[in-house]
Amino acid sequence: MITSVQNEKIKHLKRLLKDKSYMFLDNPKLITEAVKAGMSIEYTIFKESYAGKTDYGGEEILVSEEVFKGFSQTVTSQGLIGVVKFKSKELTVPKANFLVLDEIQDPGNVGTLLRSALGANFKDVYLLNCARVSSDKVIRSSMGAIFKLNIYECSKNEFLNICSGLHMCFADMFGENIYKTKLPSLVGVVVGNEGNGVSKELKEACSFSVSIPMANDLESLNASVAGSIIMYQIYSRS
């Protein structure tokens, strides 16, 4: 058992904790989902209560309670963390309905939208300068959806270079009623930044805008709520 935070192996893992390309999965279910998705567990960090129960692959590192606390991101950790390197997929054109997140900065919103995208069968998701998908908050709020989607982290220019010409829409209070508008067979839903909305470049790339009818003079919804409603409405017609 490693009991010192000065241990060289612990120092190495601390460096990985700051590396945005690594995920520290603080939940057995998430680790299992990652393995099912074909990801390799590089390290398994665990407390004594998990001794003999780790069979996820990778190097197994038994640590004390105090050392474990330095890696756990949750208050109610079960005592097991899997470390994997996340690799964004090679950018490609979507073959079905897709989601585009335009500078969404709140990890909770990103995770929620990823979860909704999976439920609404929007399997291709493009993250344009958003909160990193490897963020602990994104991972937890997505409830493992990140391992079942095709996620592409790229710049706006990279995205527009391969997806220009595809039908896309964004939410706007003056857009067509989402419950009544005629939809193309393949469509992308663009969700904009929490404060500034959809950027000029993405608006210009969209074919049309849609609105969500709201009662009681409400003018707008949270970005993840609005995006989810639009995706599910499109899914309901497929």
Side-chain angles (χ1 to χ4, degrees):
M1 179 189 293
I2 297 176
T3 59
S4 173
V5 293
Q6 299 304 317
N7 179 279
E8 288 304 316
K9 180 68 67 177
I10 300 304
K11 287 182 179 180
H12 172 66
L13 291 170
K14 284 288 188 181
R15 288 192 288 270
L16 296 186
L17 191 61
K18 296 177 182 178
D19 186 332
K20 293 181 179 179
S21 63
Y22 278 87
M23 292 179 169
F24 280 65
L25 307 176
D26 196 353
N27 185 296
K29 183 179 183 297
L30 290 176
I31 299 172
T32 300
E33 292 289 351
V35 172
K36 284 181 179 178
M39 300 180 77
S40 297
I41 306 298
E42 294 192 12
Y43 301 96
T44 305
I45 307 169
F46 61 98
K47 296 190 293 187
E48 194 168 11
S49 58
Y50 256 97
K53 303 177 185 177
T54 57
D55 56 356
Y56 301 101
E59 183 178 346
E60 298 184 350
I61 304 171
L62 173 61
V63 300
S64 65
E65 179 77 35
E66 199 60 35
V67 173
F68 188 86
K69 286 179 181 178
F71 295 103
S72 179
Q73 306 291 311
T74 62
V75 177
T76 57
S77 174
Q78 296 182 46
L80 177 70
I81 297 173
V83 182
V84 300
K85 187 166 187 177
F86 177 79
K87 295 179 181 178
S88 183
K89 295 184 181 294
E90 184 177 347
L91 204 56
T92 186
V93 178
K95 296 180 176 60
N97 292 336
F98 60 100
L99 174 66
V100 184
L101 304 187
D102 182 14
E103 297 191 22
I104 298 289
Q105 298 304 304
D106 185 289
N109 282 337
V110 172
T112 298
L113 283 160
L114 292 178
R115 190 177 178 186
S116 294
L118 181 64
N121 206 32
F122 278 62
K123 297 294 287 291
D124 293 302
V125 183
Y126 300 84
L127 273 61
L128 317 183
N129 305 321
C130 296
R132 292 296 299 261
V133 73
S134 58
S135 158
D136 175 68
K137 289 183 179 179
V138 171
I139 296 168
R140 283 192 280 116
S141 57
S142 78
M143 295 295 287
I146 56 173
F147 303 120
K148 299 176 182 178
L149 295 166
N150 300 316
I151 298 176
Y152 310 95
E153 293 184 298
C154 56
S155 68
K156 291 179 187 180
N157 286 338
E158 289 172 328
F159 170 74
L160 291 172
N161 283 340
I162 70 158
C163 291
S164 60
L166 295 178
H167 289 292
M168 292 187 286
C169 68
F170 67 95
D172 183 87
M173 63 186 300
F174 300 110
E176 303 173 52
N177 186 326
I178 184 61
Y179 298 110
K180 297 178 180 179
T181 187
K182 185 177 180 181
L183 297 166
S185 57
L186 189 158
V187 64
V189 173
V190 181
V191 181
N193 174 270
E194 293 88 347
N196 301 317
V198 178
S199 62
K200 182 175 181 290
E201 304 98 307
L202 268 295
K203 280 185 179 180
E204 291 176 350
C206 287
S207 312
F208 60 103
S209 62
V210 295
S211 62
I212 301 171
M214 291 178 281
N216 301 308
D217 298 321
L218 189 65
E219 293 185 356
S220 64
L221 295 169
N222 170 276
S224 60
V225 172
S228 297
I229 289 173
I230 294 169
M231 285 190 287
Y232 273 103
Q233 178 58 23
I234 293 171
Y235 174 61
S236 71
R237 302 193 203 177
S238 61

